[in-house]
Amino acid sequence: MTVLPLHIRLRPQRLAAAVFGRLGQTRHVQAAATRDPRDAVVKIFNTRQRPGWTVPWQDQPVESTSGSGAVIATRLGLGSEVGRAVLTAAHVIADSRYLQVQRTNDRFGGEKFRAHVVAVCHEIDLALLRLEEEEVLEEMEPLVVGSATELPRVFDKVRVVGYPIGGDACSVTEGVVSRVEVQEYSHSLRFGLALTVDAAINSGNSGGPLVDALSGHVVGVAFQKMVARGVELQGHAVPAPVIQRFLEDVASSAAGEGSPVRLKMPSLGCDYQSLEPPALRQSLGLDELKGILISRLHHADPGRHATGLAAGDVLLTFNGHKLDELGFADLFGRRLHFGAARDLCRVGSAVEMEVWRGGARHMVQQVLRPAQHLVPRGQYDVRPRFFIVGGLVFQALSNEYLQGWAAHERPAHLQELFIGGHATPERNEAVILAQILADLVNAGYDSGWVGAPVVSEVNGTAVRNLSHFVQLVEAGRQNHALPTGRLEIRVLLGGGPFRIVLPLKGLDEADERIQRIYGLPRLGSETYERS
């Protein structure tokens, strides 16, 4: 089963691939339903260039894609006035080099206008755009984003508005809300609240609004659909409460001059399991209490925190919401996974939780911070981080790097890190030897792809991340005057540990020679720090 984002990749004559949008909803203003929502929906053209994650000093070919967006009225930063902006999906504008927006309905011509990203949150696949010619959007009546405290009901009639493949005019399809639950977002591989609708969502609908048929309000933004044998009409949209959370964060942010606001979503910072088996609940002494078991903490040593969650806790309530044994709670008047309540909180906010610990109930407080995976995923608008020394190419392992292989061909030790690895104070990033550029200085260690072993030590010191690795290498190079000076790098292969030694004498000359022979623009990325 595959879940696809729905933007259109434009080829010289025709189109392919797809991404859609989301919408928010409210039911009160009947007059809004008389408006044609197409008057506030635009087509977005993205000229993008993705980095080469397996050859990190190169870029992939330039390509053109398209999606949809809705004109809304919102504040674009701290202290700003309410103005017009285009709400769309983050994957529609990801890795952009040049953005354009086009109005194609009967009131306007087909002229394209230069656009820029104001804010983006890739984790929930949302973005806001502004136009260089701001008066263009002022001529358009904005759509109203639905309530932050209300979700559509199953059977509510909705319309998907946008520019899907198959024509140039703005398209409208109609259906009903068929499901409201937490789903995996294919753009970020993160779970979040989503609407499922049976209205047709096709390539190019990405970023377009899902509007309530009665009120005309945006109740979601189309962003993906499920594709599998026997599966039909299952499109997903980001719901209005999540959109409103995004817009509130944008309104309270202070963007740098010319650079977009890059927002993150909160994480509880732990792994957990359900407590559905009665025997497991009895072993914990829960009796009639319900909750989920905290199995592992992220970013911290195993054990208890003085005030926050600890491994072995049973989470009973989250921010006032009682959890059942599967982690579901009463939210928006329905049964939803508590992850939906988490996403309504801000990064940095402290939430109250009740836990079962040591045979008693305790109140704890946890600060919600962005998720930090050992192997990053959902990286867009950033460049791969890499470092080359003695022809050895080192880089931070990421899901984007792994996507260079088909899923069944990925190196097993790297896939295991992606699925089961977690960040600790001792290692918050996996550094791999991605390839070897053959030269006299590294003779005997083979060349090209050598299995992508994971780096463990440099000169006897354990490696925490790529930035730390570079620091250790540069510190080791200070001994270049010693006749016995060398860099000793230990890596882990599938068959066990492996040792690499580079002589310091002549290493600087070798780096210059390798850069010239292989046509390398540089021997490292602009930054080694993780964003």
Side-chain angles (χ1 to χ4, degrees), residues 191-222:
F191 283 86
L193 187 61
L195 308 178
T196 301
V197 298
D198 69 354
I201 297 180
N202 295 299
S203 299
N205 275 124
S206 285
L210 179 73
V211 298
D212 180 76
L214 292 178
S215 68
H217 291 182
V218 174
V219 293
V221 171

Side-chain angles (χ1 to χ4, degrees), residues 489-505:
I489 302 171
R490 299 203 176 198
V491 299
L492 297 175
L493 287 164
F498 192 80
R499 186 181 308 184
I500 300 172
V501 174
L502 292 177
L504 292 178
K505 186 177 181 180

